[in-house]
Amino acid sequence: MRIVRTIADLRAALSPHRGETIGFVPTMGALHEGHLSLLRTARSENATVVLSIFVNPTQFGEAADLAAYPRTEEADVALAAEAGTDLVFAPSPAEMYPAGFATSVSVAGAITGTLEGAVRGRSHFDGVATVVAKLLLAVQPDRAYFGAKDAQQVVVVRRMVSDLGIPVEIVARPTSRDDDGLARSSRNTRLSAEERDVAAVIPRALRAAQDAFASGIRDPHRLTTVVRDELAGAGLEPEYVEAVDADSLEPIATAETPALLALAVRVGEVRLIDNVVLGVDDLVPVTGSVS
Amino acid sequence: MRIVRTIADLRAALSPHRGETIGFVPTMGALHEGHLSLLRTARSENATVVLSIFVNPTQFGEAADLAAYPRTEEADVALAAEAGTDLVFAPSPAEMYPAGFATSVSVAGAITGTLEGAVRGRSHFDGVATVVAKLLLAVQPDRAYFGAKDAQQVVVVRRMVSDLGIPVEIVARPTSRDDDGLARSSRNTRLSAEERDVAAVIPRALRAAQDAFASGIRDPHRLTTVVRDELAGAGLEPEYVEAVDADSLEPIATAETPALLALAVRVGEVRLIDNVVLGVDDLVPVTGSVS
């Protein structure tokens, strides 16, 4: 496995492999089982597997959040090699955004204005769309793999890729979950043991909404109230809990499938997000290979 | 020569030619000698030559200007074939911007805030950057050819391509000029015979600034005043005349090379732009092949 730090070196390293399929997993590092399962899926579907590790400063609203984001490159590289990665692209911010950089890619409308966009501001998804566009153009993969935990990110990336006509297949994989159902996230490492126990209410709350949906409830407000009540029982007040159309992220009057129920909540200092597609996702722990 | 109207057909038509070089000339049609000279240059430098014809609605501020823009596809296709074009991509607005389209590419800063951006608004260059990005990703050429008449457009496109890492060489060719020096433009066809005579003052005014520069004048205000005075002599009041850094388009205190002197002026109803790189461009008529 090779590590490269410049786009020029990345292109040179990939050049001999252009004739065969390239699978790409973009990450901000601090790899966990969710990332590894994306890498293993990419491994099973492509001749060459590329991982990027880049903590993208332009998608962080708060400097403190950026500073606190875990950086564990040495461990990441070892895990990536084990998962069958061929090439790691780990650029510096100056490589991605050299002096004079002035371009941004932006997705307008409900897709970026709701959920995370409403709380973190549209600039968050401008940062995401710009860096993903740049990474996709640098790697030029056949397939790029994303986790469904960041459901809105997947919708934004799909829209951007479709609108600009970037020739890549966007593959979304189910959210990887710990044994108690908590969605795996690099941010989980910042939870204390006590906070980690409290956080387990999040998948329970989503499962309660899924159960309510299964029992026939379709009113978005009643479904989100189920979630709020569960979270409140553990002393958590969410930043948002919303049920929206899973494709357009527009508000819905009734939760016919596919509807996405998504939330953000702070547990201590750590901001966590999770979601479920009503009537579809089973919220079971996902361990090991998912391919 | 083939004509295709969808990105899918474009990709299919180009697929067999990917091993060799592809040269691309993006236009809004109404082809004139300037476009043809770009096509001939592309012909001499690449195995395959692609022309796009698309009057991009998102870069027009005024609906009337968009409606009045000349559309002459039949004649364009004949001229393109004569100039050695292999493939014409002439999509509809709905092909380029299907329902739900929500993505824009934007270049911030002085590059888009000055000159045309100051008059037409930044949204003009958002429209340009977005459509050029989409066209470059559709054609995936080795080289794309632009005319220097739209100097700011060239700077914006170079910045966008460099920032996003779109793998293409941007080639800017000297402005093509009629016998009296008027920059060739699709808009010139809308000038009456009388207006066409008046418009000839524009290259004379730029040549006067070039002469002033050659005589040692470096004060931007004095250089632009030379231009204003010449235009005023023909009864024309420009929308702007500015001398800026040719790369950053930032204001300059002294017109050391490379400095760009650019102007926009209405002759009757027709808005014309032109420019000269001080100490570099000779403003002579360019006819026939420029390669």
PDB file of all heavy atoms in Angstrom, chain A residues 63-92:
ATOM      1  N   ALA A  63     -14.283  26.558  14.731  1.00  0.00           N
ATOM      2  CA  ALA A  63     -12.854  26.257  14.775  1.00  0.00           C
ATOM      3  C   ALA A  63     -12.554  25.205  15.840  1.00  0.00           C
ATOM      4  O   ALA A  63     -11.695  24.340  15.663  1.00  0.00           O
ATOM      5  CB  ALA A  63     -12.048  27.522  15.041  1.00  0.00           C
ATOM      6  N   ALA A  64     -13.300  25.257  16.952  1.00  0.00           N
ATOM      7  CA  ALA A  64     -13.060  24.308  18.049  1.00  0.00           C
ATOM      8  C   ALA A  64     -13.393  22.887  17.604  1.00  0.00           C
ATOM      9  O   ALA A  64     -12.698  21.926  17.957  1.00  0.00           O
ATOM     10  CB  ALA A  64     -13.904  24.693  19.264  1.00  0.00           C
ATOM     11  N   ASP A  65     -14.461  22.761  16.811  1.00  0.00           N
ATOM     12  CA  ASP A  65     -14.859  21.446  16.319  1.00  0.00           C
ATOM     13  C   ASP A  65     -13.781  20.895  15.382  1.00  0.00           C
ATOM     14  O   ASP A  65     -13.416  19.709  15.453  1.00  0.00           O
ATOM     15  CB  ASP A  65     -16.203  21.564  15.585  1.00  0.00           C
ATOM     16  CG  ASP A  65     -16.827  20.210  15.254  1.00  0.00           C
ATOM     17  OD1 ASP A  65     -16.594  19.247  16.008  1.00  0.00           O
ATOM     18  OD2 ASP A  65     -17.543  20.133  14.248  1.00  0.00           O
ATOM     19  N   LEU A  66     -13.257  21.763  14.515  1.00  0.00           N
ATOM     20  CA  LEU A  66     -12.174  21.357  13.605  1.00  0.00           C
ATOM     21  C   LEU A  66     -10.947  20.933  14.399  1.00  0.00           C
ATOM     22  O   LEU A  66     -10.336  19.895  14.122  1.00  0.00           O
ATOM     23  CB  LEU A  66     -11.829  22.519  12.659  1.00  0.00           C
ATOM     24  CG  LEU A  66     -10.595  22.340  11.769  1.00  0.00           C
ATOM     25  CD1 LEU A  66     -10.731  21.135  10.849  1.00  0.00           C
ATOM     26  CD2 LEU A  66     -10.350  23.606  10.932  1.00  0.00           C
ATOM     27  N   ALA A  67     -10.601  21.733  15.409  1.00  0.00           N
ATOM     28  CA  ALA A  67      -9.406  21.435  16.200  1.00  0.00           C
ATOM     29  C   ALA A  67      -9.566  20.128  16.959  1.00  0.00           C
ATOM     30  O   ALA A  67      -8.607  19.364  17.133  1.00  0.00           O
ATOM     31  CB  ALA A  67      -9.121  22.580  17.175  1.00  0.00           C
ATOM     32  N   ALA A  68     -10.799  19.854  17.421  1.00  0.00           N
ATOM     33  CA  ALA A  68     -11.036  18.673  18.249  1.00  0.00           C
ATOM     34  C   ALA A  68     -11.213  17.403  17.421  1.00  0.00           C
ATOM     35  O   ALA A  68     -11.225  16.299  17.975  1.00  0.00           O
ATOM     36  CB  ALA A  68     -12.282  18.901  19.112  1.00  0.00           C
ATOM     37  N   TYR A  69     -11.370  17.565  16.084  1.00  0.00           N
ATOM     38  CA  TYR A  69     -11.626  16.377  15.274  1.00  0.00           C
ATOM     39  C   TYR A  69     -10.431  15.434  15.379  1.00  0.00           C
ATOM     40  O   TYR A  69      -9.284  15.842  15.227  1.00  0.00           O
ATOM     41  CB  TYR A  69     -11.883  16.756  13.812  1.00  0.00           C
ATOM     42  CG  TYR A  69     -12.664  15.671  13.096  1.00  0.00           C
ATOM     43  CD1 TYR A  69     -14.052  15.646  13.126  1.00  0.00           C
ATOM     44  CD2 TYR A  69     -11.999  14.638  12.447  1.00  0.00           C
ATOM     45  CE1 TYR A  69     -14.761  14.634  12.506  1.00  0.00           C
ATOM     46  CE2 TYR A  69     -12.703  13.621  11.821  1.00  0.00           C
ATOM     47  CZ  TYR A  69     -14.086  13.618  11.861  1.00  0.00           C
ATOM     48  OH  TYR A  69     -14.780  12.607  11.254  1.00  0.00           O
ATOM     49  N   PRO A  70     -10.692  14.131  15.666  1.00  0.00           N
ATOM     50  CA  PRO A  70      -9.572  13.211  15.910  1.00  0.00           C
ATOM     51  C   PRO A  70      -8.717  12.991  14.664  1.00  0.00           C
ATOM     52  O   PRO A  70      -9.240  12.867  13.558  1.00  0.00           O
ATOM     53  CB  PRO A  70     -10.276  11.913  16.335  1.00  0.00           C
ATOM     54  CG  PRO A  70     -11.676  12.021  15.841  1.00  0.00           C
ATOM     55  CD  PRO A  70     -12.002  13.481  15.832  1.00  0.00           C
ATOM     56  N   ARG A  71      -7.397  12.973  14.864  1.00  0.00           N
ATOM     57  CA  ARG A  71      -6.447  12.719  13.770  1.00  0.00           C
ATOM     58  C   ARG A  71      -5.537  11.564  14.189  1.00  0.00           C
ATOM     59  O   ARG A  71      -4.762  11.702  15.128  1.00  0.00           O
ATOM     60  CB  ARG A  71      -5.637  13.985  13.477  1.00  0.00           C
ATOM     61  CG  ARG A  71      -6.462  15.084  12.800  1.00  0.00           C
ATOM     62  CD  ARG A  71      -5.765  16.434  12.904  1.00  0.00           C
ATOM     63  NE  ARG A  71      -6.413  17.486  12.116  1.00  0.00           N
ATOM     64  CZ  ARG A  71      -7.438  18.222  12.537  1.00  0.00           C
ATOM     65  NH1 ARG A  71      -7.980  17.996  13.724  1.00  0.00           N
ATOM     66  NH2 ARG A  71      -7.943  19.167  11.771  1.00  0.00           N
ATOM     67  N   THR A  72      -5.670  10.452  13.485  1.00  0.00           N
ATOM     68  CA  THR A  72      -4.987   9.215  13.899  1.00  0.00           C
ATOM     69  C   THR A  72      -4.387   8.529  12.672  1.00  0.00           C
ATOM     70  O   THR A  72      -4.622   7.353  12.435  1.00  0.00           O
ATOM     71  CB  THR A  72      -5.997   8.269  14.571  1.00  0.00           C
ATOM     72  OG1 THR A  72      -7.056   7.986  13.627  1.00  0.00           O
ATOM     73  CG2 THR A  72      -6.623   8.884  15.806  1.00  0.00           C
ATOM     74  N   GLU A  73      -3.566   9.267  11.921  1.00  0.00           N
ATOM     75  CA  GLU A  73      -3.158   8.764  10.609  1.00  0.00           C
ATOM     76  C   GLU A  73      -2.422   7.433  10.660  1.00  0.00           C
ATOM     77  O   GLU A  73      -2.674   6.557   9.825  1.00  0.00           O
ATOM     78  CB  GLU A  73      -2.321   9.805   9.864  1.00  0.00           C
ATOM     79  CG  GLU A  73      -2.045   9.352   8.433  1.00  0.00           C
ATOM     80  CD  GLU A  73      -1.217  10.346   7.629  1.00  0.00           C
ATOM     81  OE1 GLU A  73      -1.672  11.485   7.456  1.00  0.00           O
ATOM     82  OE2 GLU A  73      -0.130   9.974   7.155  1.00  0.00           O
ATOM     83  N   GLU A  74      -1.538   7.292  11.635  1.00  0.00           N
ATOM     84  CA  GLU A  74      -0.746   6.060  11.666  1.00  0.00           C
ATOM     85  C   GLU A  74      -1.650   4.834  11.814  1.00  0.00           C
ATOM     86  O   GLU A  74      -1.506   3.851  11.082  1.00  0.00           O
ATOM     87  CB  GLU A  74       0.259   6.128  12.824  1.00  0.00           C
ATOM     88  CG  GLU A  74       1.507   5.297  12.601  1.00  0.00           C
ATOM     89  CD  GLU A  74       2.518   5.527  13.723  1.00  0.00           C
ATOM     90  OE1 GLU A  74       2.643   6.677  14.204  1.00  0.00           O
ATOM     91  OE2 GLU A  74       3.150   4.535  14.139  1.00  0.00           O
ATOM     92  N   ALA A  75      -2.585   4.916  12.753  1.00  0.00           N
ATOM     93  CA  ALA A  75      -3.526   3.805  12.943  1.00  0.00           C
ATOM     94  C   ALA A  75      -4.407   3.623  11.719  1.00  0.00           C
ATOM     95  O   ALA A  75      -4.697   2.494  11.297  1.00  0.00           O
ATOM     96  CB  ALA A  75      -4.382   4.065  14.184  1.00  0.00           C
ATOM     97  N   ASP A  76      -4.833   4.742  11.127  1.00  0.00           N
ATOM     98  CA  ASP A  76      -5.680   4.677   9.933  1.00  0.00           C
ATOM     99  C   ASP A  76      -4.992   3.901   8.815  1.00  0.00           C
ATOM    100  O   ASP A  76      -5.615   3.064   8.137  1.00  0.00           O
ATOM    101  CB  ASP A  76      -6.005   6.091   9.409  1.00  0.00           C
ATOM    102  CG  ASP A  76      -6.902   6.874  10.353  1.00  0.00           C
ATOM    103  OD1 ASP A  76      -7.484   6.260  11.273  1.00  0.00           O
ATOM    104  OD2 ASP A  76      -7.015   8.107  10.172  1.00  0.00           O
ATOM    105  N   VAL A  77      -3.719   4.216   8.604  1.00  0.00           N
ATOM    106  CA  VAL A  77      -2.967   3.589   7.522  1.00  0.00           C
ATOM    107  C   VAL A  77      -2.873   2.079   7.739  1.00  0.00           C
ATOM    108  O   VAL A  77      -3.042   1.292   6.793  1.00  0.00           O
ATOM    109  CB  VAL A  77      -1.574   4.246   7.402  1.00  0.00           C
ATOM    110  CG1 VAL A  77      -0.637   3.402   6.549  1.00  0.00           C
ATOM    111  CG2 VAL A  77      -1.715   5.661   6.831  1.00  0.00           C
ATOM    112  N   ALA A  78      -2.643   1.668   8.983  1.00  0.00           N
ATOM    113  CA  ALA A  78      -2.549   0.231   9.286  1.00  0.00           C
ATOM    114  C   ALA A  78      -3.900  -0.448   9.035  1.00  0.00           C
ATOM    115  O   ALA A  78      -3.969  -1.525   8.428  1.00  0.00           O
ATOM    116  CB  ALA A  78      -2.103   0.037  10.732  1.00  0.00           C
ATOM    117  N   LEU A  79      -4.984   0.184   9.481  1.00  0.00           N
ATOM    118  CA  LEU A  79      -6.319  -0.395   9.279  1.00  0.00           C
ATOM    119  C   LEU A  79      -6.674  -0.457   7.787  1.00  0.00           C
ATOM    120  O   LEU A  79      -7.258  -1.438   7.314  1.00  0.00           O
ATOM    121  CB  LEU A  79      -7.371   0.450  10.014  1.00  0.00           C
ATOM    122  CG  LEU A  79      -7.348   0.349  11.541  1.00  0.00           C
ATOM    123  CD1 LEU A  79      -8.180   1.460  12.165  1.00  0.00           C
ATOM    124  CD2 LEU A  79      -7.852  -1.024  11.993  1.00  0.00           C
ATOM    125  N   ALA A  80      -6.314   0.598   7.066  1.00  0.00           N
ATOM    126  CA  ALA A  80      -6.624   0.649   5.638  1.00  0.00           C
ATOM    127  C   ALA A  80      -5.905  -0.467   4.888  1.00  0.00           C
ATOM    128  O   ALA A  80      -6.480  -1.113   4.007  1.00  0.00           O
ATOM    129  CB  ALA A  80      -6.237   2.012   5.057  1.00  0.00           C
ATOM    130  N   ALA A  81      -4.649  -0.697   5.254  1.00  0.00           N
ATOM    131  CA  ALA A  81      -3.867  -1.758   4.599  1.00  0.00           C
ATOM    132  C   ALA A  81      -4.529  -3.107   4.844  1.00  0.00           C
ATOM    133  O   ALA A  81      -4.673  -3.926   3.927  1.00  0.00           O
ATOM    134  CB  ALA A  81      -2.434  -1.753   5.120  1.00  0.00           C
ATOM    135  N   GLU A  82      -4.960  -3.306   6.081  1.00  0.00           N
ATOM    136  CA  GLU A  82      -5.607  -4.563   6.454  1.00  0.00           C
ATOM    137  C   GLU A  82      -6.909  -4.777   5.670  1.00  0.00           C
ATOM    138  O   GLU A  82      -7.275  -5.915   5.356  1.00  0.00           O
ATOM    139  CB  GLU A  82      -5.915  -4.508   7.955  1.00  0.00           C
ATOM    140  CG  GLU A  82      -5.834  -5.836   8.663  1.00  0.00           C
ATOM    141  CD  GLU A  82      -5.983  -5.599  10.169  1.00  0.00           C
ATOM    142  OE1 GLU A  82      -5.144  -4.870  10.742  1.00  0.00           O
ATOM    143  OE2 GLU A  82      -6.972  -6.096  10.731  1.00  0.00           O
ATOM    144  N   ALA A  83      -7.608  -3.687   5.376  1.00  0.00           N
ATOM    145  CA  ALA A  83      -8.887  -3.784   4.653  1.00  0.00           C
ATOM    146  C   ALA A  83      -8.690  -3.906   3.146  1.00  0.00           C
ATOM    147  O   ALA A  83      -9.669  -3.938   2.403  1.00  0.00           O
ATOM    148  CB  ALA A  83      -9.762  -2.578   4.985  1.00  0.00           C
ATOM    149  N   GLY A  84      -7.425  -3.920   2.705  1.00  0.00           N
ATOM    150  CA  GLY A  84      -7.179  -4.165   1.289  1.00  0.00           C
ATOM    151  C   GLY A  84      -7.025  -2.918   0.441  1.00  0.00           C
ATOM    152  O   GLY A  84      -7.141  -2.973  -0.788  1.00  0.00           O
ATOM    153  N   THR A  85      -6.748  -1.784   1.089  1.00  0.00           N
ATOM    154  CA  THR A  85      -6.546  -0.537   0.345  1.00  0.00           C
ATOM    155  C   THR A  85      -5.238  -0.590  -0.444  1.00  0.00           C
ATOM    156  O   THR A  85      -4.234  -1.104   0.053  1.00  0.00           O
ATOM    157  CB  THR A  85      -6.506   0.649   1.340  1.00  0.00           C
ATOM    158  OG1 THR A  85      -7.692   0.611   2.122  1.00  0.00           O
ATOM    159  CG2 THR A  85      -6.378   1.974   0.616  1.00  0.00           C
ATOM    160  N   ASP A  86      -5.263  -0.067  -1.666  1.00  0.00           N
ATOM    161  CA  ASP A  86      -4.054  -0.027  -2.481  1.00  0.00           C
ATOM    162  C   ASP A  86      -3.293   1.281  -2.333  1.00  0.00           C
ATOM    163  O   ASP A  86      -2.074   1.318  -2.417  1.00  0.00           O
ATOM    164  CB  ASP A  86      -4.414  -0.223  -3.964  1.00  0.00           C
ATOM    165  CG  ASP A  86      -5.035  -1.577  -4.226  1.00  0.00           C
ATOM    166  OD1 ASP A  86      -4.382  -2.593  -3.911  1.00  0.00           O
ATOM    167  OD2 ASP A  86      -6.178  -1.618  -4.718  1.00  0.00           O
ATOM    168  N   LEU A  87      -4.050   2.368  -2.173  1.00  0.00           N
ATOM    169  CA  LEU A  87      -3.422   3.696  -2.224  1.00  0.00           C
ATOM    170  C   LEU A  87      -4.149   4.618  -1.253  1.00  0.00           C
ATOM    171  O   LEU A  87      -5.381   4.675  -1.255  1.00  0.00           O
ATOM    172  CB  LEU A  87      -3.533   4.251  -3.656  1.00  0.00           C
ATOM    173  CG  LEU A  87      -2.823   5.561  -3.985  1.00  0.00           C
ATOM    174  CD1 LEU A  87      -1.305   5.401  -3.870  1.00  0.00           C
ATOM    175  CD2 LEU A  87      -3.200   6.010  -5.395  1.00  0.00           C
ATOM    176  N   VAL A  88      -3.380   5.318  -0.413  1.00  0.00           N
ATOM    177  CA  VAL A  88      -3.948   6.321   0.498  1.00  0.00           C
ATOM    178  C   VAL A  88      -3.541   7.708   0.002  1.00  0.00           C
ATOM    179  O   VAL A  88      -2.355   7.956  -0.228  1.00  0.00           O
ATOM    180  CB  VAL A  88      -3.448   6.115   1.944  1.00  0.00           C
ATOM    181  CG1 VAL A  88      -3.976   7.226   2.855  1.00  0.00           C
ATOM    182  CG2 VAL A  88      -3.864   4.744   2.469  1.00  0.00           C
ATOM    183  N   PHE A  89      -4.537   8.565  -0.160  1.00  0.00           N
ATOM    184  CA  PHE A  89      -4.280   9.959  -0.529  1.00  0.00           C
ATOM    185  C   PHE A  89      -4.531  10.804   0.709  1.00  0.00           C
ATOM    186  O   PHE A  89      -5.668  10.891   1.184  1.00  0.00           O
ATOM    187  CB  PHE A  89      -5.210  10.374  -1.674  1.00  0.00           C
ATOM    188  CG  PHE A  89      -5.084  11.821  -2.093  1.00  0.00           C
ATOM    189  CD1 PHE A  89      -3.841  12.399  -2.341  1.00  0.00           C
ATOM    190  CD2 PHE A  89      -6.215  12.606  -2.272  1.00  0.00           C
ATOM    191  CE1 PHE A  89      -3.729  13.723  -2.735  1.00  0.00           C
ATOM    192  CE2 PHE A  89      -6.117  13.933  -2.669  1.00  0.00           C
ATOM    193  CZ  PHE A  89      -4.871  14.491  -2.903  1.00  0.00           C
ATOM    194  N   ALA A  90      -3.451  11.374   1.262  1.00  0.00           N
ATOM    195  CA  ALA A  90      -3.561  12.146   2.507  1.00  0.00           C
ATOM    196  C   ALA A  90      -2.925  13.517   2.300  1.00  0.00           C
ATOM    197  O   ALA A  90      -1.791  13.767   2.699  1.00  0.00           O
ATOM    198  CB  ALA A  90      -2.873  11.397   3.653  1.00  0.00           C
ATOM    199  N   PRO A  91      -3.663  14.419   1.637  1.00  0.00           N
ATOM    200  CA  PRO A  91      -3.078  15.723   1.308  1.00  0.00           C
ATOM    201  C   PRO A  91      -3.120  16.678   2.493  1.00  0.00           C
ATOM    202  O   PRO A  91      -3.904  16.497   3.434  1.00  0.00           O
ATOM    203  CB  PRO A  91      -3.990  16.225   0.188  1.00  0.00           C
ATOM    204  CG  PRO A  91      -5.330  15.642   0.529  1.00  0.00           C
ATOM    205  CD  PRO A  91      -5.045  14.284   1.145  1.00  0.00           C
ATOM    206  N   SER A  92      -2.300  17.707   2.425  1.00  0.00           N
ATOM    207  CA  SER A  92      -2.361  18.802   3.400  1.00  0.00           C
ATOM    208  C   SER A  92      -3.443  19.782   2.961  1.00  0.00           C
ATOM    209  O   SER A  92      -3.839  19.794   1.790  1.00  0.00           O
ATOM    210  CB  SER A  92      -1.021  19.531   3.438  1.00  0.00           C
ATOM    211  OG  SER A  92      -0.815  20.177   2.192  1.00  0.00           O
TER     212      SER A  92
END
